Amino acid sequence: MKNALQHMRAFITVAQRGNFARAAHDLHLSPSALTVQIRQLEGWLGVALLERSPRHVALTAAGREALPAMEKLLLDLGNIVSASQGLAAVRRGVVTVAALPSLCAGALPERLAAFKRDYPGIEVRLRDLVAERIIERVRDGDVDFGLGVHAKLGHGLDFTPLLRDRLCVFVPEDHPLASGSLTLAALDDQPMILTGRDSSVRVQIEQVFRERGLTLRPAMEANYMSTVLALVRNGLGIALLPESADDGQRRLVRRRLDEPGLERELGIITRSEISLAPAARRLVECLQGISL
């Protein structure tokens, strides 16, 4: 029964329109070609489906019985095709993400590895950038979405929360602040290893010290948090960095400060009113389980 689906669609259209000429117009066929398709379908089924007259077309008893089944068949087929196309769309493609360096060096790689196992045909291109650059890249459409902080997004961008990242004190193992009670006031005038001035963490630290009336004494400055930790590890100062920056290496102690103002909210930054591609949506779903 070659072309059976096409012929069933022709029959359904005639039944719905009640007229061969209108049905032929909808199907972009000539009336004679449509007539041939209906006759072939009737021949395959061995029954007449339509009663024809010069001005009107009506369903026969067999036609009325067959119509719902054919409509359901074509609907089910359409659903199968749509689902298959959707699945194919997330089996391949490229997703470009701009993310904070602390996430890139910490919690993000594990989630990306899980995503790669589930969707090996999708290439993920990662850009590790400071917060302001992430916003710029998302706004300009250079990346599919960003992973950044909920601050100064501005018009045209949306933020979906993922997790909270708390600032912690990082000190060498033999440092006096490595044990005992610890408050933010203990960091007053301590030699600090700081991130660059365009870093959202640097802005937050300066604000916290200013609000508490503490002296922030920069010892050294580095662009990447991994570099900051290496400098701390070698005794060149201490650092106040997000929990997500912890690389788990030895010779370093991370200490929490249970004080207000030291948390930041991290999440997904997208352009408003612009839908993500299927592959990007699947990656976002995968990131919902991210944790520090």
Side-chain angles (χ1 to χ4, degrees):
M1 294 179 62
K2 184 180 179 181
N3 300 325
L5 294 175
Q6 178 183 350
H7 288 33
M8 281 189 283
R9 186 174 288 109
F11 164 65
I12 292 171
T13 305
V14 173
Q16 292 172 342
R17 299 291 280 165
N19 181 281
F20 264 82
R22 289 194 293 266
H25 179 269
D26 292 348
L27 295 168
H28 305 290
L29 296 172
S30 67
S32 60
L34 177 58
T35 299
V36 170
Q37 288 189 3
I38 298 298
R39 286 177 177 171
Q40 287 178 339
L41 180 61
E42 291 175 325
W44 293 333
L45 298 177
V47 294
L49 299 173
L50 298 170
E51 293 178 350
R52 302 166 179 82
S53 68
R55 296 183 179 180
H56 183 66
V57 175
L59 294 173
T60 64
R64 288 192 297 272
E65 184 176 347
L67 180 60
M70 291 187 189
E71 289 176 329
K72 184 178 185 305
L73 177 61
L74 290 182
L75 178 61
D76 291 343
L77 179 61
N79 291 336
I80 292 172
V81 171
S82 296
S84 298
Q85 289 174 339
L87 183 60
V90 298
R91 289 193 183 277
R92 58 185 180 273
V94 176
V95 182
T96 305
V97 182
L100 294 169
S102 58
L103 285 175
C104 293
L108 186 56
E110 181 180 352
R111 298 310 305 165
L112 292 180
F115 181 77
K116 191 65 176 179
R117 288 193 297 269
D118 293 338
Y119 302 98
I122 297 178
E123 177 187 354
V124 178
R125 297 175 181 172
L126 189 59
R127 308 284 184 262
D128 51 339
L129 302 169
V130 295
E132 288 187 8
R133 299 291 180 269
I134 292 174
I135 293 173
E136 291 174 3
R137 292 291 183 89
V138 174
R139 181 176 287 115
D140 293 342
D142 295 332
V143 298
D144 291 286
F145 63 87
L147 293 171
V149 296
H150 189 193
K152 301 180 180 179
L153 291 185
H155 179 71
L157 296 177
D158 292 332
F159 182 86
T160 303
L162 277 181
L163 52 86
R164 290 189 174 275
D165 198 6
R166 188 167 186 82
L167 293 180
C168 297
V169 179
F170 291 82
V171 298
E173 290 179 328
D174 58 354
H175 195 279
L177 298 181
S179 60
S181 61
L182 181 64
T183 64
L184 191 62
L187 306 186
D188 183 48
D189 205 31
Q190 287 279 346
M192 301 283 291
I193 312 295
L194 300 173
T195 53
R197 295 183 182 276
D198 58 352
S199 162
S200 61
V201 173
R202 173 71 171 267
V203 173
Q204 185 177 7
I205 291 173
E206 290 178 343
Q207 179 180 342
V208 168
F209 270 67
R210 186 168 53 251
E211 291 174 349
R212 305 296 173 85
L214 303 176
T215 300
L216 180 62
R217 179 154 67 95
M220 296 187 72
E221 184 177 299
N223 288 329
Y224 295 99
M225 294 186 192
S226 57
T227 306
V228 172
L229 292 178
L231 296 172
V232 172
R233 192 175 290 112
N234 285 276
L236 295 172
I238 65 175
L240 191 59
L241 293 177
E243 187 177 5
S244 60
D246 192 352
D247 56 12
Q249 296 188 29
R250 298 178 181 178
R251 298 166 48 210
L252 205 63
V253 175
R254 184 189 75 193
R255 305 203 58 192
R256 288 178 61 91
L257 291 169
D258 294 324
E259 298 189 32
L262 299 181
E263 275 193 343
R264 61 177 187 167
E265 191 173 39
L266 305 183
I268 297 168
I269 301 171
T270 55
R271 284 171 289 169
S272 303
E273 300 179 357
I274 297 180
S275 299
L276 292 174
R281 286 201 304 271
R282 288 302 172 92
L283 178 54
V284 167
E285 292 170 4
C286 178
L287 293 175
Q288 298 295 330
I290 196 170
S291 61
L292 299 177

